[in-house]
Amino acid sequence: METTQPTPTPKEEKSNREKLFLYLFLLMTVICVVIAWLLWSQKNETETVIDENIQITQESDQVKGDLQQLQTEYEALETNDAALKVEIEEKKAFIEQLQKEAEKHKDDAYIMAKLKKETKTLRAIMQHFVVEIDSLNTLNKKLIAKNDSVTTELSSEKQKRNNLQSEKDKLYQMGSIIKATGMTVTALHVKSGTKVDETGKAKRTDKIRVAFRLEENPIAPKGQRTVYVRIVMPDGKEWTESADADHLFTFGTSKGYYAMKKSLQYNNEPVNVEMLVRKKADQELTSGKYIVEVCLDEMPIGKATLELD
């Protein structure tokens, strides 16, 4: 026996269609909500990533800027301390290495954080260097000031010593002068080849005898000495065998021609000296005053005059 399904009425069909539309609407609503939530979540994640990227870029730029500034500050450090120089150069090389790391890993937040920490440590070390350099500079200034003071004192003492030595040398030179005493100057006329008479006439004069005594001086240097006789004639000219460089000598601060010279041995004891100045064959003496000077080496030691008519 067949069972016959009842045929839905128009009212029931309408109700069924409304339920179906409701279910579809609800499903579409849920789908839209889910899609909206997914889009919102994706947007938030994208914004988060963008923010993180921006933050990392900012951190990277800041780290690179700090490293560059740090490099400049290390370059400005100056010191004469060798050990400190080595440490500073090592830190400068390390900063260069960190700069390369910052450029290579500029998108890595972990590396940037690590480099930021290293930068902070290096800056603290630099501050320590600055304090140490200032201390060394202060110490150097004190040492330089002390050294200048010592140098000034040494210079003053050296000047005093030089002055004392100069005074000593002057006293020694004054004390070591050998005095000539009893100096006499006599005009002589030679007769018959051997007989000699004193004369006061210029035309009869053939020789001039200069005699004196070198006194004892225990501090004068011993050894060979040269005695010079210099004669200035009435016309102002010097009596000399030849007016050339071989007859030129120095006496005091002047130079002149000698009429005669003689070498002798001086042993700090008195020595009697006699020197004869001979007139040249063609020489004519004039009347007037003759100035006679005696010099021992380069030191004038005696002076006398001779009047001839």
Side-chain angles (χ1 to χ4, degrees), residues 160-183:
K160 289 180 182 178
R161 185 171 66 251
N162 290 340
N163 291 340
L164 289 174
Q165 185 63 43
S166 178
E167 291 296 325
K168 181 180 177 182
D169 291 342
K170 289 180 181 178
L171 291 174
Y172 177 78
Q173 289 177 356
M174 293 175 61
S176 63
I177 294 175
I178 302 170
K179 295 180 180 179
T181 60
M183 182 175 172

Side-chain angles (χ1 to χ4, degrees), residues 165-258:
Q165 185 63 43
S166 178
E167 291 296 325
K168 181 180 177 182
D169 291 342
K170 289 180 181 178
L171 291 174
Y172 177 78
Q173 289 177 356
M174 293 175 61
S176 63
I177 294 175
I178 302 170
K179 295 180 180 179
T181 60
M183 182 175 172
T184 61
V185 180
T186 309
L188 301 176
H189 173 63
V190 180
K191 295 191 301 181
S192 302
T194 56
K195 188 176 180 179
V196 178
D197 292 332
E198 293 184 5
T199 183
K201 301 292 184 179
K203 291 184 178 181
R204 291 176 57 83
T205 299
D206 298 304
K207 300 178 183 179
I208 292 180
R209 180 177 63 200
V210 181
F212 54 91
R213 175 187 175 92
L214 293 178
E215 294 296 338
E216 175 184 3
N217 189 333
I219 68 171
K222 294 182 180 181
Q224 284 289 321
R225 297 298 186 91
T226 301
V227 179
Y228 297 91
V229 174
R230 177 175 178 263
I231 301 175
V232 180
M233 297 186 292
D235 61 0
K237 294 181 180 180
E238 293 174 306
W239 183 331
T240 182
E241 184 178 347
S242 178
D244 54 30
D246 291 337
H247 292 79
L248 194 66
F249 81 112
T250 301
F251 54 97
T253 59
S254 303
K255 287 187 177 182
Y257 294 103
Y258 62 82

Side-chain angles (χ1 to χ4, degrees), residues 22-195:
L22 178 61
Y23 293 150
L24 289 174
F25 174 76
L26 292 175
L27 179 60
M28 291 299 295
T29 301
V30 171
I31 291 172
C32 288
V33 170
V34 171
I35 290 173
W37 179 82
L38 289 175
L39 290 174
W40 178 81
S41 298
Q42 183 64 37
K43 180 182 177 183
N44 286 341
E45 289 179 4
T46 302
E47 290 177 351
T48 301
V49 170
I50 292 172
D51 290 341
E52 289 177 353
N53 288 337
I54 292 173
Q55 185 177 358
I56 291 174
T57 301
Q58 291 174 345
E59 290 286 337
S60 176
D61 291 341
Q62 182 180 355
V63 169
K64 287 191 287 186
D66 289 344
L67 286 172
Q68 183 60 47
Q69 179 64 28
L70 197 60
Q71 181 78 3
T72 302
E73 291 173 359
Y74 266 90
E75 290 288 347
L77 295 177
E78 294 183 0
T79 179
N80 294 324
D81 187 87
L84 200 56
K85 275 185 176 180
V86 171
E87 290 187 46
I88 292 173
E89 290 300 322
E90 289 177 352
K91 293 299 181 289
K92 285 162 62 177
F94 184 52
I95 291 172
E96 289 182 4
Q97 181 181 346
L98 294 182
Q99 287 176 316
K100 293 178 182 178
E101 289 290 320
E103 185 62 33
K104 182 178 180 181
H105 302 284
K106 58 184 177 181
D107 297 328
D108 192 322
Y110 174 77
I111 297 295
M112 289 299 107
K114 183 179 178 182
L115 293 177
K116 189 174 182 180
K117 185 177 180 181
E118 291 285 1
T119 303
K120 185 177 180 180
T121 301
L122 286 168
R123 188 170 298 282
I125 294 173
M126 188 198 66
Q127 294 299 327
H128 172 73
F129 284 157
V130 170
V131 172
E132 191 170 353
I133 290 172
D134 287 343
S135 298
L136 288 173
N137 289 340
T138 301
L139 180 60
N140 285 337
K141 288 179 181 178
K142 290 181 180 179
L143 290 175
I144 290 171
K146 186 175 181 180
N147 183 59
D148 289 343
S149 176
V150 171
T151 301
T152 302
E153 291 177 5
L154 288 175
S155 179
S156 177
E157 290 299 320
K158 185 177 180 180
Q159 185 62 42
K160 289 180 182 178
R161 185 171 66 251
N162 290 340
N163 291 340
L164 289 174
Q165 185 63 43
S166 178
E167 291 296 325
K168 181 180 177 182
D169 291 342
K170 289 180 181 178
L171 291 174
Y172 177 78
Q173 289 177 356
M174 293 175 61
S176 63
I177 294 175
I178 302 170
K179 295 180 180 179
T181 60
M183 182 175 172
T184 61
V185 180
T186 309
L188 301 176
H189 173 63
V190 180
K191 295 191 301 181
S192 302
T194 56
K195 188 176 180 179

